[in-house]
């Protein structure tokens, strides 16, 4: 069993399989060059799988594949298949921008993927192009429809930005409700890779806008998640992810692995230890020792407020950690 230095059980592994992405979302990696991490620096899927097996043997129950964009990396469905064949009951999920789902949703479902979180910030094709710096809308819509059609459980993620998509909060909610998918609004987190004129809406501002049309009941925190869940008339539930709070930390059950094999105990800390060397040497015992050491030193709570006071922005980008 994986227990951290504060007695919390860690049973959720998030794997960023690539830092690469075919979008350039303004809030994530607006100016990152397209080819910046070479293939030799990242772990192969076979190397990742050796570590995944250790985690599953130690009680990990949920694995999320993320990125960058996980579907730009070749072999992602096969990686899903490796995991689901080893542990058919594992809760296997993916976070994706949706662009390639039209092509891959069926294969992913057949490979054992159960759930997919798809980023959808706007229902306006021109705005989608403005935010992602690419003509994406029709492909993302086709991806959402295909994921639903093949029977994947779908959630939608929207980062709400002032003056850009804050007038679509209700449209996005009603779109998600019509599709039978939960929407989660994510507060924009400033970081050194994406800052400047962008301003995000905070949880209360988002709720204020929704409450103009619907009465809202707060249901509390989702289990082991930074999302607060709300319900509107008729029973539809939506979430708001407020990464600036640390009331989620005391039940944090997460460990992250980057594409290059760095184990990251907390999204908000730059510390991490690499298991790449150990995995490349086939030394799984050493990789497991590093895992235990990382968990021993998992911070008690995030230091977002501390970061803000110190430097005003976080040095971590979501595309490096998978969010
Ligand atoms: N490419 C996939 C996608 O977009 O869904 C997966 C990786 S992406 C880094 C994971 C999530 O992080 C997305 O839902 C995205 O909207 C969110 N994200 C990226 N940068 C963010 C930021 N600065 N603040 C808040 N959320 C952010
Ligand atoms: Fe790519 Fe996802 Fe970042 Fe957008 S949020 S640039 S889709 S990794």
């Amino acid at each position: 069993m994986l227990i951290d230095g504060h007695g919390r059980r860690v049973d959720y592994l998030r794997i960023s399989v690539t830092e690469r992405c075919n979008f350039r979302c303004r809030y994530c990696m607006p100016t990152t060059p397209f080819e910046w991490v070479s293939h030799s620096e990242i772990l192969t899927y076979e190397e990742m799988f050796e570590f995944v097996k250790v985690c599953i043997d130690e009680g990990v129950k949920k694995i999320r594949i993320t990125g960058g964009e996980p579907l730009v990396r070749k072999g992602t469905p096969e990686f899903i298949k490796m995991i689901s064949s080893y542990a058919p009951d594992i809760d296997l999920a993916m976070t994706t921008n949706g662009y390639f789902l039209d092509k891959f949703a069926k294969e992913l479902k057949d490979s054992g993927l159960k759930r997919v979180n798809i980023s959808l910030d706007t229902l306006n094709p021109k705005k989608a192009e403005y935010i992602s710096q690419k003509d994406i809308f029709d492909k993302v819509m086709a991806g959402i429809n295909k994921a639903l059609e093949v029977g994947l459980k779908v959630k939608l993620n929207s980062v709400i930005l002032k003056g850009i998509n804050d007038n679509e909060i209700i449209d996005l909610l009603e779109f998600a409700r019509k599709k039978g998918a939960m929407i989660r609004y994510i507060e924009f987190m400033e970081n050194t890779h994406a800052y400047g004129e962008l301003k995000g809406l905070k949880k209360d501002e988002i709720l204020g806008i929704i409450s103009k049309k619907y009465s809202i009941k707060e249901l509390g925190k989702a289990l082991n998640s930074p999302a607060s869940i709300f319900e509107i008339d008729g029973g539809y539930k939506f979430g708001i992810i407020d990464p600036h709070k640390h009331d989620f930390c005391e039940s944090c059950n997460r460990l992250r692995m980057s594409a290059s094999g760095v184990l990251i105990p907390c999204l908000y800390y730059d510390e991490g230890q690499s298991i790449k060397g150990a995995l490349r040497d086939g030394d799984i015992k050493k990789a497991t020792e590093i895992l235990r050491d990382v968990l021993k030193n998992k911070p008690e709570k995030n230091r977002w407020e501390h970061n803000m006071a110190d430097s005003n922005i976080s040095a971590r980008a979501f595309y490096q950690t998978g969010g």
Side-chain angles (χ1 to χ4, degrees):
M1 196 179 285
L2 300 174
I3 305 284
D4 77 3
H6 301 280
R8 295 168 296 195
R9 177 158 180 208
V10 172
D11 59 6
Y12 178 16
L13 174 66
R14 294 174 68 103
I15 308 174
S16 172
V17 296
T18 179
E19 287 190 6
R20 295 184 186 197
C21 186
N22 54 330
F23 292 11
R24 284 293 173 276
C25 298
R26 288 173 190 272
Y27 50 72
C28 182
M29 50 165 114
T31 57
T32 310
F34 269 90
E35 297 289 329
W36 79 101
V37 179
S38 82
H39 279 301
S40 61
E41 280 176 42
I42 65 170
L43 295 179
T44 64
Y45 275 140
E46 287 72 23
E47 288 164 340
M48 283 186 182
F49 183 53
E50 288 308 309
F51 180 68
V52 164
K53 284 193 285 189
V54 170
C55 292
I56 292 172
D57 293 348
E58 290 285 346
V60 161
K61 298 271 178 281
K62 175 173 171 183
I63 296 181
R64 176 171 297 279
I65 309 298
T66 176
E69 173 46 43
L71 294 177
V72 300
R73 180 163 177 181
K74 231 174 117 208
T76 303
E78 289 81 357
F79 182 49
I80 302 271
K81 181 82 195 153
M82 287 182 207
I83 300 172
S84 70
S85 303
Y86 187 72
D89 292 334
I90 200 137
D91 181 2
L92 201 44
M94 177 181 283
T95 304
T96 169
N97 63 31
Y99 192 88
F100 294 111
L101 269 182
D102 188 25
K103 184 169 167 199
F104 287 116
K106 168 122 186 30
E107 193 181 348
L108 290 167
K109 173 84 166 87
D110 292 346
S111 301
L113 192 72
K114 297 189 172 116
R115 300 187 293 114
V116 70
N117 289 0
I118 306 171
S119 295
L120 180 75
D121 299 320
T122 173
L123 297 169
N124 176 322
K126 281 274 157 271
K127 245 192 254 182
E129 182 166 354
Y130 174 76
I131 295 170
S132 65
Q133 306 191 77
K134 185 177 168 79
D135 178 8
I136 60 164
F137 188 74
D138 291 347
K139 292 273 291 172
V140 173
M141 281 296 143
I144 293 171
N145 290 334
K146 180 62 94 173
L148 290 164
E149 186 190 309
V150 302
L152 287 165
K153 283 195 187 138
V154 174
K155 282 185 188 158
L156 300 174
N157 287 339
S158 301
V159 177
I160 302 297
L161 300 166
K162 271 197 178 95
I164 298 179
N165 61 351
D166 52 348
N167 59 347
E168 289 192 72
I169 290 174
I170 291 193
D171 291 347
L172 285 162
L173 180 125
E174 291 174 350
F175 172 84
R177 181 176 60 182
K178 210 164 71 204
K179 293 281 177 194
M182 177 186 264
I183 190 164
R184 286 129 28 105
Y185 303 98
I186 308 178
E187 283 188 3
F188 168 58
M189 258 180 76
E190 288 200 353
N191 60 79
T192 48
H193 306 262
Y195 65 102
E197 67 272 32
L198 293 184
K199 278 260 163 291
L201 258 68
K202 295 273 179 276
K203 180 170 133 190
D204 287 346
E205 295 173 290
I206 295 169
L207 288 174
I209 289 171
I210 298 174
S211 68
K212 287 196 180 125
K213 180 154 180 190
Y214 296 103
S215 57
I216 302 173
K217 189 159 87 192
E218 180 157 9
L219 300 180
K221 282 263 174 227
L223 187 67
N224 297 129
S225 157
S228 301
I229 307 296
F230 302 87
E231 188 179 285
I232 55 167
D233 340 306
Y236 176 74
K237 295 186 182 61
F238 67 96
I240 300 184
I241 298 177
D242 168 4
H244 304 90
K245 286 267 157 43
H246 45 59
D247 49 357
F248 153 69
C249 299
E250 67 189 41
S251 65
C252 182
N253 62 341
R254 297 165 178 218
L255 172 71
R256 292 175 163 83
M257 179 165 73
S258 76
S260 55
V262 177
L263 298 184
I264 301 162
C266 177
L267 184 57
Y268 302 83
Y269 277 67
D270 290 336
E271 291 84 346
Q273 289 191 56
S274 178
I275 53 167
K276 183 164 75 179
L279 290 175
R280 292 252 145 112
D281 292 345
D283 191 346
I284 203 68
K285 189 162 165 270
K286 176 85 190 147
T288 310
E289 276 166 24
I290 297 171
L291 164 66
R292 296 219 184 274
D293 197 48
V294 166
L295 291 182
K296 195 173 89 204
N297 294 306
K298 184 170 157 71
E300 187 177 6
K301 51 185 175 178
N302 77 54
R303 62 174 171 208
W304 178 254
E305 283 160 15
H306 175 75
N307 262 354
M308 289 300 281
D310 249 21
S311 61
N312 220 26
I313 43 174
S314 158
R316 271 266 165 72
F318 276 52
Y319 70 81
Q320 294 166 315
T321 56

